[in-house]
Each structure stands twice: as structure tokens, then as C-alpha cells.
Amino acid sequence: MKTLLLTLLLGLACADLSSEDISELSGEWKTFYLVSTNAETISSKGWFRPLLRNVDVDEEGGTILFEFFVTIRGKCVGHRDRGIKLSDDRYLTSFSGKNEVQFVDASDDYFVVYIINKDRSGNVNRIMGMFGKGNEADEEDFEKFLDLAREKDIPVHNIVNYINFDNCPASL
């Protein structure tokens, strides 16, 4: 019964993320966790490993800018990926293929996105990311992230903790 109630509450919370909520996410953030239907995608040799640094939401222009690093052969390489607004909580971006990014949960300290990534080979991966402020996720927020991943049928055993190995600079 508790699980059913928690699932219902999470579903209601996720349904209420509006453009106004998303515009408040502009600022500095760090990648905490990623989980994917394809574990190789986000592994140490994977191609979808953004180390987020900043988000800039332009509500009037209908865009969002993600600034992040990726590690290539041990070097931090800065990237900027501008997304185009599709709806109140969805954006289309182009990092490592085409991505439909949906904001599914947010607070002052973290946000969670659900990403449908179509890579350059045409393969579709479902990815969920948790991004936060500071150096660690609150245990309750982390459990909520895992529940959201389960709701999207993303195997949580594929989770990667990015907090411990992010050694890229604080900003681009």
C-alpha cells in the first residue's frame, strides 16, 4: 500500500512541473547520477557522460542551454548544447544524437530529467539523470530518483555515481 501511495504521489508531483518551475533552474549544477537502459552508454567508456556545470533557461526565447564537460582520453572537454522547447517540460537537444529531455522532478537542491536519446547509429536509449548542488544527494532525494527510474522501466542496477569521479573544472 505504501508503494502504491508513493507511486501515486510521485506521478502527481511529476505532472506539475511547469515552464515557470523549469525557468527557476537556471544556475550552477553538477551531475550526481545517471542511469540508462543501456549500461554501456553511461559507463566509463560510454559516449553519454555529461558532467553538467550550468543551465540557462530562456523562457521567452523557448530555449535552454546546458554547459558541461565530457572526458575524452582523460581530458575535460567543454560543451554547450542548446535545446529547443517542445512543451512546458520538454526540450529537444543534440548532444550525442537527438535527445528529448523531460524535466520530471525539481527542488532548490536537485532536478531530475528523463531523456530519450536516439544516438547517431539510430539506437534508442532511455536515460534518467539527477543533477544537484553541493557534493552529494540527500538520501530521500536519491530514493525518489530511483523510484522515478523504476517508473520508466530503467534498470536501477545500471546506475553510475558521477559525484566521486568528476575532476573537471568548476566552470567552462
Side-chain angles (χ1 to χ4, degrees):
M1 185 66 168
K2 281 184 179 180
T3 304
L4 180 61
L5 181 59
L6 180 61
T7 301
L8 178 61
L9 290 174
L10 285 172
L12 291 172
C14 294
D16 291 336
L17 210 55
S18 68
S19 290
E20 184 177 305
D21 296 328
I22 293 169
S23 68
E24 293 176 12
L25 296 177
S26 287
E28 296 179 4
W29 296 94
K30 291 174 74 174
T31 304
F32 281 1
Y33 300 97
L34 291 179
V35 63
S36 175
T37 51
N38 178 354
E40 185 178 322
T41 302
I42 58 173
S43 72
S44 61
K45 295 186 189 309
W47 45 264
F48 199 100
R49 299 174 48 86
L51 300 169
L52 188 63
R53 291 301 184 258
N54 193 63
V55 174
D56 185 16
V57 181
D58 178 0
E59 187 59 36
E60 287 183 27
T63 64
I64 191 166
L65 177 66
F66 296 98
E67 297 179 330
F68 55 94
F69 286 99
V70 293
T71 306
I72 300 173
R73 294 181 197 94
K75 296 187 84 171
C76 297
V77 179
H79 284 272
R80 289 181 173 87
D81 189 17
R82 185 168 307 278
I84 299 168
K85 186 174 184 175
L86 299 174
S87 67
D88 277 353
D89 63 352
R90 294 175 194 264
Y91 290 83
L92 184 64
T93 69
S94 60
F95 172 66
S96 290
K98 290 185 179 181
N99 305 290
E100 184 174 319
V101 180
Q102 178 185 15
F103 288 81
V104 294
D105 193 28
S107 77
D108 291 339
D109 299 321
Y110 77 96
F111 68 89
V112 175
V113 294
Y114 172 63
I115 303 164
I116 299 174
N117 166 265
K118 186 173 184 180
D119 69 23
R120 291 180 178 105
S121 300
N123 300 313
V124 175
N125 302 293
R126 292 180 295 116
I127 302 164
M128 188 160 284
M130 180 180 196
F131 306 89
K133 297 186 177 186
N135 293 316
E136 64 183 8
D138 175 270
E139 188 175 328
E140 185 177 315
D141 297 337
F142 177 68
E143 288 300 323
K144 190 173 184 181
F145 169 70
L146 293 177
D147 287 339
L148 290 167
R150 288 182 192 104
E151 282 181 22
K152 298 290 188 182
D153 293 322
I154 300 174
V156 295
H157 63 269
N158 289 347
I159 195 165
V160 176
N161 178 341
Y162 285 74
I163 299 168
N164 298 327
F165 72 81
D166 182 347
N167 58 4
C168 290
S171 63
L172 296 187

